[in-house]
Amino acid sequence: MATEMEITELRLGLPGGNSHMKEKKRVYSEITNSDQNSSNVNVNGDVYYMCQNKNEVVGWPPVCAYRKKNNFNGREGSKMYVKVSMDGVPFLRKVDLSTHKGYSELVMALEKLFDCYGIGEALEDADKSEYVPIYEDKDGDWMLVGDVPWEMFSESCKRLRIMKRSDAKVIGLGARDFLKGMSENK
Amino acid sequence: MNPSLKKPRESMDLSNSSELTQPTAFPDEVLEKVLSLVESHKDRNSASLVCKYWYNAERWTRTKLFIGNCYSVTPEIVARRFPKIKSVTLKGKPRFSDFNLVPENWGADVQVWLDVFARVYPFLEELRLKRMAVTDESLEFLAKSFHGFKVLSLLSCDGFSTDGISSIATYCKNLTELDIQENGIDDFTGSWLSCFPDDFASLEVLNFASLNSEFSFDALERLVSRCKSLRVLKLNKNVTLGQLQRLLVRAPQLMELGTGPFVPELTGRQYAELESAFSNCKHLHTLSGLWEATRYLPVLYAACASLTFLNLSYATIRSNEFSKLLAHCPNLRRLWVLDTVRDKGLEAVGANCPLLEELRVFPADPFEEDIVHGVTESGFVAVSAGCPKLQYVLYFCRQMTNAAVATIVRNCPDFTHFRLCIMNPGQPDYLTNEPMDEAFGAVVKTCKKLQRLSVSGLLTDLTFEYIGQYAKNLETLSVAFAGSSDRGMQCVLEGCSKLRKLEIRDCPFGNAALLSGMEKYESMRCLWMSACRVTMNGCRMLAQGRPRLNVEVIKDENSDDLADKLYVYRSVAGPRRDAPPFVVTL
């Protein structure tokens, strides 16, 4: 489990990706000019471009939307159970992400599991919510729930934690701004 | 030469209409009878151009309508020309809308067509829609307006829900086909299945594999029992193996079957019953579904000898089970799989399926970067070695070499459709680090019958020089993250005389390239260019030079001068009247 310091270092961004790049369509010129994400290969005096971070390119690879929704990650069956811990609760629960189609459904399920009806507030009114749901992604980073599209979240979420707001020690940009972003991205 | 055959040509020059009604040695009834046997719409289009007399005979005998681009013509024009249509196929959005490149509410609404059809073709029987916007209201309107309606096929459409399907089931008393595939549908409930009347028994085709909501199995079982002519049944993920057995027992005449998940949950006796049910299906030629393929696959083996199409593209099957299954499928012509079968599975394809004509390998995990599995060039080479009759391939992989592709086309020179997707954009030959130009060069030089090509990997203008020079039968070309300059696109436009559809994204092609094709676009169905270097000015010049083209730009908030998404198509309908604000017609 990550240390207190690491957990509180809230970051925006895709797992493993650049923190300054939001989930937005990238024009060809952006891809070719971005130093971090492409390498220029000189062949015969012409310059060609290799895009390494294809997760940021809309509509690529050309897999049709329906097939994308039914993405198979080689998981056993299609179940996506992750552990959920909640501050102040001595035992953990498990929730199957594949049974939910979006954040609001997940939050409802979490509220039922822990008999606690303050979690949904984080999605509605970031300033007032008592609880902050966060998750550990594939890279081991702790992320705020709600920033990225649901499918991306459910594929990269390894475990969930429902943190008490008072425990979130954030320096610099206030938690308010992060949480505001969450309600916009619902 | 038979003098009586000359008469229709002579009458072409007559402006006096009474001459056209003169009895000739080739009476109307004979010509119309002959033309009514002509099915292909391409042949019919040619026949209609012979002379006015043939044009009229053809339009009175055409019953099937194919419209590849719903904006190329208006429903009114269609209704005026063809009075006796019974079957319509209608395609709407550009193909790249499948990959979310076209914003919502772009158009292609079917209702405007249905309004005219309801008036002019009350006896319409068949409607096949692809990439159209369809609402529940439209489906209800359809169900209530056409009393003899028989066939509904919805592929890649969006905007409707299972409520709309309920209307179809409720009101279409003569329905023979209900085919719902890969749509953006709001899947509320499976209660539509219970909407078929108790005496309804005419169904021949039922495909609801892509719908996930729960439904009444009893209703389905009763439906299958009643419909003695049922030949295609594609079930969804909610049908258990036990339920499947009960259905198969009632429908041993099935020719195409899509199963539910093959979850190992049966008793010994149930397993034997299922095995027996499969062996009684002596007419099965198409199998799909499976979803999770497990050690229960052997239950299928008895039905596999006659299989010609195996669609495992939604089944996570590994190479071992896959290889064992293939050993029982020697007659396969078409195979769709996920890349979970790996190269080893593809080797089994090459070893067991010598008659294979079509192979599609889809990525199980297209967006995962750290994956090391999937298929490579060696899997493709192995298939080509064992299946010389391959004509159609769609192959998603993470690595490829020029040498491998050269070997593949040497083994299989008859490719008509070659769609290779190296998933990392702009990736070179991973062994030599060179561009993949020579790979596609080999494809176009060797495969003279090539009609459709999708390219990928690191590509320079050389690829397009090859395409322009050699791909003389090419009709459809898809390009992404490729090319070095305008010259690439110019070569293709100049050289590929039969080109009908060109779709390009993220390439360094600009106005010079776009305008070089000015003369050509009217002979094509459409051109798509997104994230290239075309500007609004360039598009305007094209629009001004070619008034019979619709030049549409889908505006992005970012840049004012670059034409972010360009869609050009020929049309006799003039500019769209239903274009949303973000579509600018120039």
Side-chain angles (χ1 to χ4, degrees), chain A residues 24-32 41 43 46-78 101 138-139 155, chain B residues 98-101 182-183 209-210 237 291-292 313-314 316 318 336 338 362-369 396 421-426 428 435 458 460 480-481 484 505-508 531 533 556 564-565:
Chain A
K24 103 177 147 96
K25 181 182 82 67
R26 297 186 72 205
V27 183
Y28 182 75
S29 52
E30 280 180 49
I31 295 171
T32 57
V41 176
V43 179
D46 297 316
V47 186
Y48 307 113
Y49 306 99
M50 272 161 48
C51 177
Q52 283 159 359
N53 213 336
K54 65 181 187 297
N55 270 346
E56 300 186 19
V57 180
V58 170
W60 188 265
V63 172
C64 78
Y66 174 78
R67 203 170 265 287
K68 246 170 65 172
K69 261 197 315 185
N70 285 276
N71 200 8
F72 301 88
N73 307 47
R75 294 180 209 260
E76 244 353 313
S78 53
K101 296 201 194 94
K138 277 185 175 131
D139 297 321
E155 276 158 30
Chain B
D98 285 350
F99 319 127
N100 296 329
L101 286 179
E182 298 186 355
N183 300 290
S210 62
K237 287 192 243 190
W291 309 100
E292 300 162 43
S313 63
Y314 289 102
T316 47
R318 307 239 176 263
W336 296 15
L338 282 180
F362 295 93
D365 240 329
F367 306 105
E368 184 59 61
E369 282 183 47
F396 282 85
C421 182
I422 303 166
M423 286 192 272
N424 200 8
L458 180 64
T460 73
F481 305 102
S484 350
R505 62 165 293 181
D506 293 273
C507 297
R533 299 200 180 146
D556 192 24
D564 184 52
K565 288 173 182 157

Side-chain angles (χ1 to χ4, degrees), chain A residues 13-15 23 103 135 144-153 156 185:
Chain A
L14 300 173
E23 158 81 358
Y103 287 114
Y135 69 99
L144 199 57
V145 168
D147 280 342
V148 299
W150 170 257
E151 266 134 20
M152 197 180 283
F153 160 76
S156 61
N185 284 335

Side-chain angles (χ1 to χ4, degrees), chain B residues 264-274 296:
Chain B
E265 56 181 17
L266 301 178
T267 67
R269 190 175 65 94
Q270 287 172 320
Y271 183 98
E273 282 174 355
L274 184 58
Y296 270 27

Side-chain angles (χ1 to χ4, degrees), chain B residues 53-95:
Chain B
Y53 179 53
W54 279 49
Y55 177 90
N56 275 319
E58 194 281 312
R59 62 182 268 264
W60 278 96
T61 56
R62 191 182 294 223
T63 56
K64 289 194 180 147
L65 200 56
F66 174 85
I67 300 173
N69 173 5
C70 66
Y71 286 117
S72 61
V73 71
T74 66
E76 291 82 11
I77 294 174
V78 166
R80 261 201 307 273
R81 178 170 170 188
F82 298 112
K84 293 210 171 159
I85 297 297
K86 289 253 176 73
S87 158
V88 176
T89 300
L90 196 49
K91 297 187 184 181
K93 298 182 212 180
R95 193 176 77 93

